[in-house]
Amino acid sequence: MGSQNQSVVTEFIFEGLSSQPRTETVLSIVFLVFYLFTLAGNALVIIVIRVDCQLQSPMYFFLANLSFLDICYISCNVSQMLVNLLTKKRTISFSGCAVQMYFSLAFGMTECFLLGFMAYDRYLAICQPLLYTTLMTRRVCIHMVLASWTSSLLSSMVINTLIFRLPFCGPDTLNHYFCEVPAVLALACADTALTELVIFIFSILIVFIPFLLIITSYARILSAVLKMQPAHVQSKAFSTSGSHLMVVTLFYGTAICMYMNPKARTPHDRDKVVAVFYTIVAPMLNPLIYSLRNKDMKCALRRAMNRPTSLFP
C-alpha cells in the first residue's frame, strides 16, 4: 500500500442483514430467488428486444441496455452476500471490497445517466414528434450509452481512489451486506471531510441534477399528454412513459436517501433496508414493470411465446 494509506485492516467483516441463523437462512433463499428472477427477467427482456423487429426503436434500445445494467448491478452487490449467507463466511478482502465498491458505484451512476436519457427520449417522442427521428438516431443513442458508461467508470475511479487511500486501522466490521460507501467511510481512522465533499459533489452532478431533469421532462410530458385527443392517444403515451416513471421513482427515491447526505454517518439498519430497494428490488422489478405496463412489450412477449424458436435465431 502507498505511503498515504497506512491501513492495517486486510479484510472487512460484514454484519449482514441479520445475526440470527434462521433469519439468515430465510434471507439466503429469498435473495437467491430474487437474484435468479432478476437474471431471467432481464435476460428475457434483452432477448425479446433483440429479436423482435417491432422493438427496434431508441426506447427499447435504452431498455435493453438498462436490463443488461441491472444484471451487472445486482450481480455485483448480491453475489457476495449470497456466498456469505450460504457459506456462513462474512469476510471480504480489502482489495475485494475496493473492487466491489468500484463496480457498484459505476453501475449505479450509469443507471442514473441511462434513466435520464430514457426520460429525454420520451420527452422528444411525445413533445417533439417531428424532430424525434432526426435527433434520436441509433448513432446518437449509442453515443449516449457510451457516455454514460465512460463518465461513470471514471467518476467511480475518483471516489474509490479517495476512499481507499484513507487509513483503516480498525475496527473492520462493516454494518452492511456489501461494501457501500457510507459503511466503509465510517471505518476510516482519518478526517474524511474532503472525501465526503467530493462524494456530495458527484451526487449533485450524477444523481440530483439528472433527477431534476427527469422531473422537468415528465412535467412537460404530462402537460402535453393532457392536451392530446382522443383518449386512446393519451393512454398510449401514459403507457410508454408510466413504466419508466415508476422505475425512476423506485431507483432515485432510495438512492437520493443514501447519497445526498454530504456528512458521513454511522450506518444504521435503515440504510441497509434502503440499499435493498435500489440494489435488489429495483433490478428485479424493472423487467416486470416494463412487461406488464407496456403494451408493445406484452405483444412482443406473446409473439415470442407463440413462436418459441424465435428467441434463438
PDB file of all heavy atoms in Angstrom, residues 217-253:
ATOM      1  N   SER A 217     -38.679  16.896 -17.487  1.00  0.00           N
ATOM      2  CA  SER A 217     -39.132  16.236 -18.718  1.00  0.00           C
ATOM      3  C   SER A 217     -40.540  15.681 -18.551  1.00  0.00           C
ATOM      4  O   SER A 217     -41.405  15.857 -19.424  1.00  0.00           O
ATOM      5  CB  SER A 217     -38.163  15.107 -19.100  1.00  0.00           C
ATOM      6  OG  SER A 217     -36.882  15.609 -19.406  1.00  0.00           O
ATOM      7  N   TYR A 218     -40.782  15.040 -17.405  1.00  0.00           N
ATOM      8  CA  TYR A 218     -42.090  14.420 -17.215  1.00  0.00           C
ATOM      9  C   TYR A 218     -43.177  15.450 -16.901  1.00  0.00           C
ATOM     10  O   TYR A 218     -44.353  15.202 -17.175  1.00  0.00           O
ATOM     11  CB  TYR A 218     -42.010  13.346 -16.133  1.00  0.00           C
ATOM     12  CG  TYR A 218     -41.584  12.033 -16.735  1.00  0.00           C
ATOM     13  CD1 TYR A 218     -40.270  11.595 -16.643  1.00  0.00           C
ATOM     14  CD2 TYR A 218     -42.484  11.260 -17.458  1.00  0.00           C
ATOM     15  CE1 TYR A 218     -39.868  10.412 -17.231  1.00  0.00           C
ATOM     16  CE2 TYR A 218     -42.088  10.075 -18.048  1.00  0.00           C
ATOM     17  CZ  TYR A 218     -40.783   9.653 -17.932  1.00  0.00           C
ATOM     18  OH  TYR A 218     -40.387   8.496 -18.535  1.00  0.00           O
ATOM     19  N   ALA A 219     -42.786  16.579 -16.363  1.00  0.00           N
ATOM     20  CA  ALA A 219     -43.773  17.653 -16.183  1.00  0.00           C
ATOM     21  C   ALA A 219     -44.254  18.148 -17.540  1.00  0.00           C
ATOM     22  O   ALA A 219     -45.461  18.359 -17.760  1.00  0.00           O
ATOM     23  CB  ALA A 219     -43.166  18.799 -15.378  1.00  0.00           C
ATOM     24  N   ARG A 220     -43.319  18.298 -18.469  1.00  0.00           N
ATOM     25  CA  ARG A 220     -43.689  18.733 -19.811  1.00  0.00           C
ATOM     26  C   ARG A 220     -44.436  17.639 -20.567  1.00  0.00           C
ATOM     27  O   ARG A 220     -45.348  17.912 -21.346  1.00  0.00           O
ATOM     28  CB  ARG A 220     -42.432  19.151 -20.575  1.00  0.00           C
ATOM     29  CG  ARG A 220     -41.673  20.292 -19.900  1.00  0.00           C
ATOM     30  CD  ARG A 220     -40.580  20.853 -20.767  1.00  0.00           C
ATOM     31  NE  ARG A 220     -41.149  21.556 -21.936  1.00  0.00           N
ATOM     32  CZ  ARG A 220     -40.405  22.231 -22.788  1.00  0.00           C
ATOM     33  NH1 ARG A 220     -39.091  22.327 -22.616  1.00  0.00           N
ATOM     34  NH2 ARG A 220     -40.966  22.836 -23.822  1.00  0.00           N
ATOM     35  N   ILE A 221     -44.044  16.378 -20.334  1.00  0.00           N
ATOM     36  CA  ILE A 221     -44.757  15.263 -20.960  1.00  0.00           C
ATOM     37  C   ILE A 221     -46.200  15.217 -20.477  1.00  0.00           C
ATOM     38  O   ILE A 221     -47.140  15.056 -21.269  1.00  0.00           O
ATOM     39  CB  ILE A 221     -44.042  13.924 -20.651  1.00  0.00           C
ATOM     40  CG1 ILE A 221     -42.730  13.836 -21.432  1.00  0.00           C
ATOM     41  CG2 ILE A 221     -44.947  12.739 -20.993  1.00  0.00           C
ATOM     42  CD1 ILE A 221     -41.874  12.647 -21.058  1.00  0.00           C
ATOM     43  N   LEU A 222     -46.396  15.369 -19.163  1.00  0.00           N
ATOM     44  CA  LEU A 222     -47.738  15.337 -18.598  1.00  0.00           C
ATOM     45  C   LEU A 222     -48.596  16.454 -19.180  1.00  0.00           C
ATOM     46  O   LEU A 222     -49.771  16.230 -19.552  1.00  0.00           O
ATOM     47  CB  LEU A 222     -47.662  15.478 -17.076  1.00  0.00           C
ATOM     48  CG  LEU A 222     -49.007  15.491 -16.327  1.00  0.00           C
ATOM     49  CD1 LEU A 222     -49.766  14.195 -16.555  1.00  0.00           C
ATOM     50  CD2 LEU A 222     -48.774  15.724 -14.846  1.00  0.00           C
ATOM     51  N   SER A 223     -48.004  17.643 -19.287  1.00  0.00           N
ATOM     52  CA  SER A 223     -48.739  18.765 -19.857  1.00  0.00           C
ATOM     53  C   SER A 223     -49.142  18.490 -21.301  1.00  0.00           C
ATOM     54  O   SER A 223     -50.271  18.776 -21.716  1.00  0.00           O
ATOM     55  CB  SER A 223     -47.878  20.031 -19.786  1.00  0.00           C
ATOM     56  OG  SER A 223     -48.521  21.117 -20.415  1.00  0.00           O
ATOM     57  N   ALA A 224     -48.235  17.893 -22.068  1.00  0.00           N
ATOM     58  CA  ALA A 224     -48.530  17.599 -23.478  1.00  0.00           C
ATOM     59  C   ALA A 224     -49.557  16.491 -23.616  1.00  0.00           C
ATOM     60  O   ALA A 224     -50.453  16.563 -24.467  1.00  0.00           O
ATOM     61  CB  ALA A 224     -47.233  17.209 -24.194  1.00  0.00           C
ATOM     62  N   VAL A 225     -49.449  15.462 -22.771  1.00  0.00           N
ATOM     63  CA  VAL A 225     -50.368  14.322 -22.861  1.00  0.00           C
ATOM     64  C   VAL A 225     -51.796  14.744 -22.537  1.00  0.00           C
ATOM     65  O   VAL A 225     -52.755  14.299 -23.186  1.00  0.00           O
ATOM     66  CB  VAL A 225     -49.909  13.188 -21.927  1.00  0.00           C
ATOM     67  CG1 VAL A 225     -50.999  12.116 -21.792  1.00  0.00           C
ATOM     68  CG2 VAL A 225     -48.625  12.559 -22.449  1.00  0.00           C
ATOM     69  N   LEU A 226     -51.954  15.597 -21.533  1.00  0.00           N
ATOM     70  CA  LEU A 226     -53.298  16.034 -21.145  1.00  0.00           C
ATOM     71  C   LEU A 226     -54.000  16.830 -22.243  1.00  0.00           C
ATOM     72  O   LEU A 226     -55.233  16.941 -22.249  1.00  0.00           O
ATOM     73  CB  LEU A 226     -53.227  16.857 -19.863  1.00  0.00           C
ATOM     74  CG  LEU A 226     -52.805  16.094 -18.602  1.00  0.00           C
ATOM     75  CD1 LEU A 226     -52.691  17.026 -17.420  1.00  0.00           C
ATOM     76  CD2 LEU A 226     -53.792  14.963 -18.298  1.00  0.00           C
ATOM     77  N   LYS A 227     -53.210  17.371 -23.176  1.00  0.00           N
ATOM     78  CA  LYS A 227     -53.799  18.126 -24.280  1.00  0.00           C
ATOM     79  C   LYS A 227     -54.118  17.258 -25.487  1.00  0.00           C
ATOM     80  O   LYS A 227     -54.702  17.719 -26.454  1.00  0.00           O
ATOM     81  CB  LYS A 227     -52.844  19.248 -24.710  1.00  0.00           C
ATOM     82  CG  LYS A 227     -52.580  20.285 -23.631  1.00  0.00           C
ATOM     83  CD  LYS A 227     -51.550  21.304 -24.100  1.00  0.00           C
ATOM     84  CE  LYS A 227     -51.221  22.301 -22.987  1.00  0.00           C
ATOM     85  NZ  LYS A 227     -50.160  23.261 -23.415  1.00  0.00           N
ATOM     86  N   MET A 228     -53.699  15.987 -25.421  1.00  0.00           N
ATOM     87  CA  MET A 228     -53.887  15.103 -26.565  1.00  0.00           C
ATOM     88  C   MET A 228     -55.328  14.637 -26.688  1.00  0.00           C
ATOM     89  O   MET A 228     -56.020  14.439 -25.698  1.00  0.00           O
ATOM     90  CB  MET A 228     -52.971  13.873 -26.448  1.00  0.00           C
ATOM     91  CG  MET A 228     -51.501  14.169 -26.610  1.00  0.00           C
ATOM     92  SD  MET A 228     -50.506  12.669 -26.411  1.00  0.00           S
ATOM     93  CE  MET A 228     -48.863  13.292 -26.725  1.00  0.00           C
ATOM     94  N   GLN A 229     -55.738  14.441 -27.915  1.00  0.00           N
ATOM     95  CA  GLN A 229     -57.043  13.872 -28.223  1.00  0.00           C
ATOM     96  C   GLN A 229     -56.843  12.869 -29.366  1.00  0.00           C
ATOM     97  O   GLN A 229     -56.006  13.076 -30.230  1.00  0.00           O
ATOM     98  CB  GLN A 229     -58.035  14.974 -28.647  1.00  0.00           C
ATOM     99  CG  GLN A 229     -58.365  15.977 -27.563  1.00  0.00           C
ATOM    100  CD  GLN A 229     -59.105  15.378 -26.388  1.00  0.00           C
ATOM    101  OE1 GLN A 229     -59.774  14.344 -26.564  1.00  0.00           O
ATOM    102  NE2 GLN A 229     -59.005  15.991 -25.232  1.00  0.00           N
ATOM    103  N   PRO A 230     -57.582  11.782 -29.407  1.00  0.00           N
ATOM    104  CA  PRO A 230     -58.578  11.320 -28.451  1.00  0.00           C
ATOM    105  C   PRO A 230     -57.958  10.612 -27.249  1.00  0.00           C
ATOM    106  O   PRO A 230     -56.744  10.605 -27.105  1.00  0.00           O
ATOM    107  CB  PRO A 230     -59.415  10.357 -29.289  1.00  0.00           C
ATOM    108  CG  PRO A 230     -58.430   9.800 -30.270  1.00  0.00           C
ATOM    109  CD  PRO A 230     -57.498  10.946 -30.610  1.00  0.00           C
ATOM    110  N   ALA A 231     -58.803   9.962 -26.447  1.00  0.00           N
ATOM    111  CA  ALA A 231     -58.359   9.365 -25.181  1.00  0.00           C
ATOM    112  C   ALA A 231     -57.365   8.237 -25.393  1.00  0.00           C
ATOM    113  O   ALA A 231     -56.455   8.048 -24.576  1.00  0.00           O
ATOM    114  CB  ALA A 231     -59.567   8.861 -24.392  1.00  0.00           C
ATOM    115  N   HIS A 232     -57.510   7.457 -26.483  1.00  0.00           N
ATOM    116  CA  HIS A 232     -56.613   6.307 -26.655  1.00  0.00           C
ATOM    117  C   HIS A 232     -55.176   6.766 -26.941  1.00  0.00           C
ATOM    118  O   HIS A 232     -54.222   6.048 -26.657  1.00  0.00           O
ATOM    119  CB  HIS A 232     -57.116   5.388 -27.776  1.00  0.00           C
ATOM    120  CG  HIS A 232     -56.880   5.918 -29.158  1.00  0.00           C
ATOM    121  ND1 HIS A 232     -57.758   6.768 -29.796  1.00  0.00           N
ATOM    122  CD2 HIS A 232     -55.834   5.733 -30.026  1.00  0.00           C
ATOM    123  CE1 HIS A 232     -57.287   7.058 -30.997  1.00  0.00           C
ATOM    124  NE2 HIS A 232     -56.127   6.453 -31.155  1.00  0.00           N
ATOM    125  N   VAL A 233     -55.013   7.968 -27.488  1.00  0.00           N
ATOM    126  CA  VAL A 233     -53.672   8.512 -27.695  1.00  0.00           C
ATOM    127  C   VAL A 233     -53.036   8.848 -26.345  1.00  0.00           C
ATOM    128  O   VAL A 233     -51.863   8.591 -26.104  1.00  0.00           O
ATOM    129  CB  VAL A 233     -53.730   9.765 -28.595  1.00  0.00           C
ATOM    130  CG1 VAL A 233     -52.339  10.366 -28.761  1.00  0.00           C
ATOM    131  CG2 VAL A 233     -54.341   9.412 -29.943  1.00  0.00           C
ATOM    132  N   GLN A 234     -53.835   9.412 -25.445  1.00  0.00           N
ATOM    133  CA  GLN A 234     -53.352   9.676 -24.093  1.00  0.00           C
ATOM    134  C   GLN A 234     -52.936   8.381 -23.407  1.00  0.00           C
ATOM    135  O   GLN A 234     -51.897   8.312 -22.754  1.00  0.00           O
ATOM    136  CB  GLN A 234     -54.442  10.362 -23.266  1.00  0.00           C
ATOM    137  CG  GLN A 234     -54.738  11.793 -23.641  1.00  0.00           C
ATOM    138  CD  GLN A 234     -55.718  12.434 -22.672  1.00  0.00           C
ATOM    139  OE1 GLN A 234     -56.220  11.785 -21.754  1.00  0.00           O
ATOM    140  NE2 GLN A 234     -55.990  13.714 -22.872  1.00  0.00           N
ATOM    141  N   SER A 235     -53.754   7.362 -23.577  1.00  0.00           N
ATOM    142  CA  SER A 235     -53.489   6.074 -22.931  1.00  0.00           C
ATOM    143  C   SER A 235     -52.160   5.487 -23.400  1.00  0.00           C
ATOM    144  O   SER A 235     -51.372   4.980 -22.597  1.00  0.00           O
ATOM    145  CB  SER A 235     -54.631   5.098 -23.218  1.00  0.00           C
ATOM    146  OG  SER A 235     -54.350   3.839 -22.664  1.00  0.00           O
ATOM    147  N   LYS A 236     -51.897   5.565 -24.718  1.00  0.00           N
ATOM    148  CA  LYS A 236     -50.646   5.016 -25.235  1.00  0.00           C
ATOM    149  C   LYS A 236     -49.450   5.799 -24.720  1.00  0.00           C
ATOM    150  O   LYS A 236     -48.413   5.223 -24.358  1.00  0.00           O
ATOM    151  CB  LYS A 236     -50.665   5.034 -26.764  1.00  0.00           C
ATOM    152  CG  LYS A 236     -49.413   4.411 -27.379  1.00  0.00           C
ATOM    153  CD  LYS A 236     -49.500   4.358 -28.881  1.00  0.00           C
ATOM    154  CE  LYS A 236     -48.241   3.703 -29.461  1.00  0.00           C
ATOM    155  NZ  LYS A 236     -48.304   3.623 -30.950  1.00  0.00           N
ATOM    156  N   ALA A 237     -49.576   7.121 -24.664  1.00  0.00           N
ATOM    157  CA  ALA A 237     -48.475   7.953 -24.164  1.00  0.00           C
ATOM    158  C   ALA A 237     -48.182   7.653 -22.699  1.00  0.00           C
ATOM    159  O   ALA A 237     -47.022   7.539 -22.291  1.00  0.00           O
ATOM    160  CB  ALA A 237     -48.810   9.433 -24.350  1.00  0.00           C
ATOM    161  N   PHE A 238     -49.246   7.510 -21.903  1.00  0.00           N
ATOM    162  CA  PHE A 238     -49.057   7.179 -20.491  1.00  0.00           C
ATOM    163  C   PHE A 238     -48.461   5.783 -20.332  1.00  0.00           C
ATOM    164  O   PHE A 238     -47.692   5.524 -19.404  1.00  0.00           O
ATOM    165  CB  PHE A 238     -50.389   7.267 -19.745  1.00  0.00           C
ATOM    166  CG  PHE A 238     -50.752   8.667 -19.320  1.00  0.00           C
ATOM    167  CD1 PHE A 238     -51.960   9.226 -19.694  1.00  0.00           C
ATOM    168  CD2 PHE A 238     -49.889   9.418 -18.541  1.00  0.00           C
ATOM    169  CE1 PHE A 238     -52.295  10.518 -19.297  1.00  0.00           C
ATOM    170  CE2 PHE A 238     -50.214  10.706 -18.135  1.00  0.00           C
ATOM    171  CZ  PHE A 238     -51.423  11.259 -18.529  1.00  0.00           C
ATOM    172  N   SER A 239     -48.816   4.876 -21.222  1.00  0.00           N
ATOM    173  CA  SER A 239     -48.315   3.504 -21.138  1.00  0.00           C
ATOM    174  C   SER A 239     -46.812   3.460 -21.335  1.00  0.00           C
ATOM    175  O   SER A 239     -46.093   2.782 -20.592  1.00  0.00           O
ATOM    176  CB  SER A 239     -49.013   2.627 -22.178  1.00  0.00           C
ATOM    177  OG  SER A 239     -48.448   1.334 -22.194  1.00  0.00           O
ATOM    178  N   THR A 240     -46.310   4.169 -22.353  1.00  0.00           N
ATOM    179  CA  THR A 240     -44.878   4.132 -22.636  1.00  0.00           C
ATOM    180  C   THR A 240     -44.069   4.933 -21.628  1.00  0.00           C
ATOM    181  O   THR A 240     -42.910   4.608 -21.352  1.00  0.00           O
ATOM    182  CB  THR A 240     -44.600   4.686 -24.054  1.00  0.00           C
ATOM    183  OG1 THR A 240     -45.135   6.011 -24.151  1.00  0.00           O
ATOM    184  CG2 THR A 240     -45.241   3.805 -25.101  1.00  0.00           C
ATOM    185  N   SER A 241     -44.657   5.981 -21.050  1.00  0.00           N
ATOM    186  CA  SER A 241     -43.924   6.827 -20.107  1.00  0.00           C
ATOM    187  C   SER A 241     -44.110   6.390 -18.660  1.00  0.00           C
ATOM    188  O   SER A 241     -43.211   6.564 -17.831  1.00  0.00           O
ATOM    189  CB  SER A 241     -44.386   8.282 -20.244  1.00  0.00           C
ATOM    190  OG  SER A 241     -44.183   8.752 -21.548  1.00  0.00           O
ATOM    191  N   GLY A 242     -45.280   5.818 -18.349  1.00  0.00           N
ATOM    192  CA  GLY A 242     -45.575   5.447 -16.967  1.00  0.00           C
ATOM    193  C   GLY A 242     -44.623   4.415 -16.411  1.00  0.00           C
ATOM    194  O   GLY A 242     -44.209   4.485 -15.249  1.00  0.00           O
ATOM    195  N   SER A 243     -44.232   3.417 -17.256  1.00  0.00           N
ATOM    196  CA  SER A 243     -43.319   2.380 -16.798  1.00  0.00           C
ATOM    197  C   SER A 243     -41.978   2.981 -16.394  1.00  0.00           C
ATOM    198  O   SER A 243     -41.420   2.656 -15.341  1.00  0.00           O
ATOM    199  CB  SER A 243     -43.117   1.337 -17.902  1.00  0.00           C
ATOM    200  OG  SER A 243     -44.340   0.767 -18.289  1.00  0.00           O
ATOM    201  N   HIS A 244     -41.458   3.854 -17.242  1.00  0.00           N
ATOM    202  CA  HIS A 244     -40.174   4.481 -16.949  1.00  0.00           C
ATOM    203  C   HIS A 244     -40.243   5.335 -15.693  1.00  0.00           C
ATOM    204  O   HIS A 244     -39.315   5.347 -14.885  1.00  0.00           O
ATOM    205  CB  HIS A 244     -39.740   5.333 -18.144  1.00  0.00           C
ATOM    206  CG  HIS A 244     -38.431   6.029 -17.934  1.00  0.00           C
ATOM    207  ND1 HIS A 244     -38.314   7.402 -17.859  1.00  0.00           N
ATOM    208  CD2 HIS A 244     -37.183   5.546 -17.745  1.00  0.00           C
ATOM    209  CE1 HIS A 244     -37.059   7.721 -17.652  1.00  0.00           C
ATOM    210  NE2 HIS A 244     -36.344   6.626 -17.591  1.00  0.00           N
ATOM    211  N   LEU A 245     -41.353   6.032 -15.507  1.00  0.00           N
ATOM    212  CA  LEU A 245     -41.501   6.886 -14.335  1.00  0.00           C
ATOM    213  C   LEU A 245     -41.526   6.061 -13.047  1.00  0.00           C
ATOM    214  O   LEU A 245     -40.976   6.470 -12.021  1.00  0.00           O
ATOM    215  CB  LEU A 245     -42.777   7.718 -14.453  1.00  0.00           C
ATOM    216  CG  LEU A 245     -42.947   8.863 -13.448  1.00  0.00           C
ATOM    217  CD1 LEU A 245     -41.764   9.814 -13.512  1.00  0.00           C
ATOM    218  CD2 LEU A 245     -44.241   9.615 -13.721  1.00  0.00           C
ATOM    219  N   MET A 246     -42.137   4.891 -13.088  1.00  0.00           N
ATOM    220  CA  MET A 246     -42.147   4.004 -11.922  1.00  0.00           C
ATOM    221  C   MET A 246     -40.731   3.549 -11.572  1.00  0.00           C
ATOM    222  O   MET A 246     -40.340   3.511 -10.403  1.00  0.00           O
ATOM    223  CB  MET A 246     -43.043   2.796 -12.188  1.00  0.00           C
ATOM    224  CG  MET A 246     -44.531   3.098 -12.234  1.00  0.00           C
ATOM    225  SD  MET A 246     -45.520   1.624 -12.595  1.00  0.00           S
ATOM    226  CE  MET A 246     -45.152   0.614 -11.153  1.00  0.00           C
ATOM    227  N   VAL A 247     -39.948   3.193 -12.597  1.00  0.00           N
ATOM    228  CA  VAL A 247     -38.570   2.765 -12.370  1.00  0.00           C
ATOM    229  C   VAL A 247     -37.738   3.899 -11.785  1.00  0.00           C
ATOM    230  O   VAL A 247     -36.959   3.707 -10.854  1.00  0.00           O
ATOM    231  CB  VAL A 247     -37.948   2.261 -13.697  1.00  0.00           C
ATOM    232  CG1 VAL A 247     -36.453   2.010 -13.527  1.00  0.00           C
ATOM    233  CG2 VAL A 247     -38.652   1.003 -14.171  1.00  0.00           C
ATOM    234  N   VAL A 248     -37.913   5.099 -12.339  1.00  0.00           N
ATOM    235  CA  VAL A 248     -37.185   6.273 -11.849  1.00  0.00           C
ATOM    236  C   VAL A 248     -37.507   6.533 -10.384  1.00  0.00           C
ATOM    237  O   VAL A 248     -36.610   6.780  -9.562  1.00  0.00           O
ATOM    238  CB  VAL A 248     -37.534   7.518 -12.698  1.00  0.00           C
ATOM    239  CG1 VAL A 248     -37.051   8.785 -12.010  1.00  0.00           C
ATOM    240  CG2 VAL A 248     -36.925   7.396 -14.081  1.00  0.00           C
ATOM    241  N   THR A 249     -38.788   6.477 -10.034  1.00  0.00           N
ATOM    242  CA  THR A 249     -39.202   6.744  -8.657  1.00  0.00           C
ATOM    243  C   THR A 249     -38.590   5.742  -7.687  1.00  0.00           C
ATOM    244  O   THR A 249     -38.079   6.112  -6.616  1.00  0.00           O
ATOM    245  CB  THR A 249     -40.736   6.692  -8.552  1.00  0.00           C
ATOM    246  OG1 THR A 249     -41.302   7.654  -9.438  1.00  0.00           O
ATOM    247  CG2 THR A 249     -41.186   6.991  -7.130  1.00  0.00           C
ATOM    248  N   LEU A 250     -38.607   4.459  -8.066  1.00  0.00           N
ATOM    249  CA  LEU A 250     -38.079   3.416  -7.193  1.00  0.00           C
ATOM    250  C   LEU A 250     -36.571   3.557  -7.012  1.00  0.00           C
ATOM    251  O   LEU A 250     -36.050   3.503  -5.889  1.00  0.00           O
ATOM    252  CB  LEU A 250     -38.419   2.038  -7.774  1.00  0.00           C
ATOM    253  CG  LEU A 250     -37.950   0.820  -6.973  1.00  0.00           C
ATOM    254  CD1 LEU A 250     -38.589   0.810  -5.591  1.00  0.00           C
ATOM    255  CD2 LEU A 250     -38.278  -0.468  -7.722  1.00  0.00           C
ATOM    256  N   PHE A 251     -35.848   3.761  -8.115  1.00  0.00           N
ATOM    257  CA  PHE A 251     -34.388   3.814  -8.039  1.00  0.00           C
ATOM    258  C   PHE A 251     -33.897   5.112  -7.412  1.00  0.00           C
ATOM    259  O   PHE A 251     -33.106   5.107  -6.473  1.00  0.00           O
ATOM    260  CB  PHE A 251     -33.791   3.649  -9.437  1.00  0.00           C
ATOM    261  CG  PHE A 251     -32.286   3.705  -9.456  1.00  0.00           C
ATOM    262  CD1 PHE A 251     -31.544   2.597  -9.097  1.00  0.00           C
ATOM    263  CD2 PHE A 251     -31.614   4.860  -9.820  1.00  0.00           C
ATOM    264  CE1 PHE A 251     -30.155   2.640  -9.104  1.00  0.00           C
ATOM    265  CE2 PHE A 251     -30.231   4.918  -9.830  1.00  0.00           C
ATOM    266  CZ  PHE A 251     -29.509   3.799  -9.472  1.00  0.00           C
ATOM    267  N   TYR A 252     -34.374   6.242  -7.925  1.00  0.00           N
ATOM    268  CA  TYR A 252     -33.898   7.528  -7.449  1.00  0.00           C
ATOM    269  C   TYR A 252     -34.356   7.824  -6.029  1.00  0.00           C
ATOM    270  O   TYR A 252     -33.617   8.423  -5.237  1.00  0.00           O
ATOM    271  CB  TYR A 252     -34.372   8.648  -8.370  1.00  0.00           C
ATOM    272  CG  TYR A 252     -33.389   8.992  -9.456  1.00  0.00           C
ATOM    273  CD1 TYR A 252     -33.549   8.497 -10.737  1.00  0.00           C
ATOM    274  CD2 TYR A 252     -32.303   9.810  -9.200  1.00  0.00           C
ATOM    275  CE1 TYR A 252     -32.654   8.818 -11.741  1.00  0.00           C
ATOM    276  CE2 TYR A 252     -31.398  10.135 -10.193  1.00  0.00           C
ATOM    277  CZ  TYR A 252     -31.581   9.636 -11.461  1.00  0.00           C
ATOM    278  OH  TYR A 252     -30.688   9.952 -12.432  1.00  0.00           O
ATOM    279  N   GLY A 253     -35.575   7.446  -5.693  1.00  0.00           N
ATOM    280  CA  GLY A 253     -36.082   7.735  -4.356  1.00  0.00           C
ATOM    281  C   GLY A 253     -35.200   7.159  -3.270  1.00  0.00           C
ATOM    282  O   GLY A 253     -34.901   7.815  -2.262  1.00  0.00           O
TER     283      GLY A 253
END
